[in-house]
Amino acid sequence: MLGAPSILRAQESTLVVVSGGGSYEEAFRKAVVDPFQSETGIKVTYVSPADAAKLKAQVDSSNVQWDVVEISGPAFRSDADKYVEEIDYAAFDKETLDNLVPEAKTKYAVGSYVFSTVMAFSTADYPADKPRPRSWTEFWDVSAFPGPRSLRERTVEFALLAAGIPKDKLYPIDFDQAFASLDRIKPHITKFWSVGAEPGQLLSDRQVAMSSAWNGRMQILQEQGAGVDYQWNEGMLSPLHWVVPKGTKNRAAAMRFVAYQATAQAQARLNNLIFYGPLNRAAFNYIEPSVAAKLPTAPENIDKQFFYDPAYWEAQSSSGKTNTEALVERWTQWVAS
């Protein structure tokens, strides 16, 4: 009876959580949203999809309707303090903070999960008993490893690795060196892909022998019996983050939510259901070993890879544009040349 007023206040608080839809929403609701509501009494309204322009418009108009958004970009821009709240790490327990990888703990965002862009193969062209490229330098070597290729558009990190730049020295990006490297592989690229489903289709149809691809897509196709395989070496880890919009009316509850989703148990529940990687290292204490081996941040996989740097890509270049905008402009000119 004495505790009833505080319980009622918690139940009256509704948190608007914004993220992706489809199978991810189904997994996230089951692994994070439902347990969070049960354990805290805070009701969650789930909205999809996340959109940086809408977040900015809400803040600019002082009509903030979202409380927590799974989106990385706004947290790494030069004007981040205008649009997202600084993360209150006092809301996190010590075990969580100690086990989050450094890339997950930033000033204006906290890590959610990570996917990897890996090197994938058509098993018809490159079966398991046949030598395959093990590095991007070898991927670029069309004499030793023949066959048409595909890469994601605006691929520059892999181009630099192919040119011999160590994976811990990629940033800041040397655009001239990257495009010189891309010049060498361009004649052998059947298609520069932009949609995550494309590499799997290209490989399954044997339009290409090898391609960069998202690990989760390849794993699902492999389990469906498609003739594809992949390897982790020199994969690019791309983390997603949660942000709290500036001016949210539910700041305390929002910080409680981002802290909750970062716990080992919550991340383990999610990553037992999908082929993304947790950013809390202790999550692997709760993930099935057979599943863990297929995740990009598993101890045996993470050190073979490197982290994509969102702060670099959102930073301003010497031209006054962001590095991403500068890359898009140069890539467009290069493809057309």
Side-chain angles (χ1 to χ4, degrees):
M1 290 289 290
L2 291 173
S6 62
I7 294 173
L8 288 173
R9 282 196 297 273
Q11 291 174 335
E12 289 166 2
S13 176
T14 300
L15 198 67
V16 179
V17 173
V18 187
S19 186
S23 59
Y24 177 71
E25 177 180 348
E26 182 180 349
F28 191 77
R29 282 181 179 274
K30 182 177 180 180
V32 181
V33 172
D34 292 347
F36 175 79
Q37 290 184 124
S38 177
E39 293 177 32
T40 66
I42 299 172
K43 182 182 177 182
V44 171
T45 297
Y46 193 100
V47 176
S48 176
D51 185 286
K54 288 184 179 179
L55 186 156
K56 183 177 183 295
Q58 288 183 21
V59 176
D60 285 340
S61 64
S62 299
N63 183 26
V64 178
Q65 301 170 19
W66 295 347
D67 297 311
V68 192
V69 187
E70 193 173 31
I71 193 167
S72 295
F76 297 97
R77 295 184 61 87
S78 59
D79 58 359
D81 62 327
K82 296 180 182 177
Y83 293 101
V84 292
E85 299 278 351
E86 187 171 342
I87 298 298
D88 180 8
Y89 285 103
F92 292 61
D93 62 74
K94 185 178 184 301
E95 181 182 3
T96 297
L97 288 176
D98 287 347
N99 283 290
L100 284 174
V101 301
E103 290 80 5
K105 295 180 287 188
T106 74
K107 187 173 183 179
Y108 296 106
V110 63
S112 170
Y113 67 85
V114 64
F115 67 91
S116 184
T117 305
V118 295
M119 190 185 300
F121 310 94
S122 161
T123 55
D125 293 289
Y126 283 91
D129 60 353
K130 181 178 179 179
R132 299 168 170 175
R134 294 290 301 166
S135 67
W136 293 104
T137 298
E138 292 184 345
F139 184 99
W140 254 243
D141 188 347
V142 295
S143 297
F145 301 98
R149 277 108 157 115
S150 181
L151 286 169
R152 190 181 184 185
E153 62 181 17
R154 302 196 294 275
T155 296
V156 289
E157 285 91 347
F158 295 157
L160 288 172
L161 288 169
I165 303 300
K167 64 187 183 202
D168 60 345
K169 303 292 184 184
L170 292 173
Y171 301 101
I173 296 291
D174 184 329
F175 278 46
D176 290 339
Q177 189 172 18
F179 278 91
S181 179
L182 286 164
D183 283 337
R184 293 193 292 113
I185 199 67
K186 188 178 184 181
H188 308 281
I189 298 296
T190 298
K191 183 176 185 179
F192 287 104
W193 61 271
S194 60
V195 179
E198 290 181 279
Q201 192 68 52
L202 292 168
L203 290 164
S204 297
D205 293 347
R206 297 190 69 186
Q207 295 182 55
V208 299
M210 62 189 77
S211 178
S212 63
W214 292 340
N215 74 285
R217 294 273 186 173
M218 292 300 102
Q219 185 60 42
I220 290 170
L221 285 172
Q222 198 174 63
E223 296 192 356
Q224 291 173 345
V228 300
D229 199 3
Y230 64 97
Q231 58 101 15
W232 296 107
N233 194 46
E234 295 187 344
M236 181 167 67
L237 297 160
S238 298
L240 263 73
H241 301 80
W242 288 99
V243 301
V244 177
K246 193 81 168 181
T248 171
K249 302 175 183 66
N250 295 304
R251 186 180 184 279
M255 295 300 172
R256 193 171 179 184
F257 181 86
V258 297
Y260 182 87
Q261 68 79 35
T263 61
Q265 294 86 347
Q267 294 214 339
R269 287 195 298 268
L270 179 63
N271 291 281
N272 267 315
L273 298 174
I274 56 176
F275 294 114
Y276 299 138
L279 289 163
N280 186 320
R281 288 174 291 234
F284 286 100
N285 295 333
Y286 307 96
I287 295 175
E288 293 291 332
S290 60
V291 174
K294 302 169 185 175
L295 303 183
T297 50
E300 63 270 28
N301 298 333
I302 189 170
D303 290 339
K304 299 174 182 177
Q305 304 175 78
F306 67 94
F307 272 93
Y308 169 88
D309 187 350
Y312 170 79
W313 288 112
E314 294 294 344
Q316 282 194 335
S317 66
S318 57
S319 67
K321 301 174 182 177
T322 66
N323 287 316
T324 296
E325 291 166 340
L327 174 59
V328 170
E329 184 177 282
R330 184 156 179 178
W331 182 270
T332 302
Q333 295 171 352
W334 178 78
V335 168
S337 65

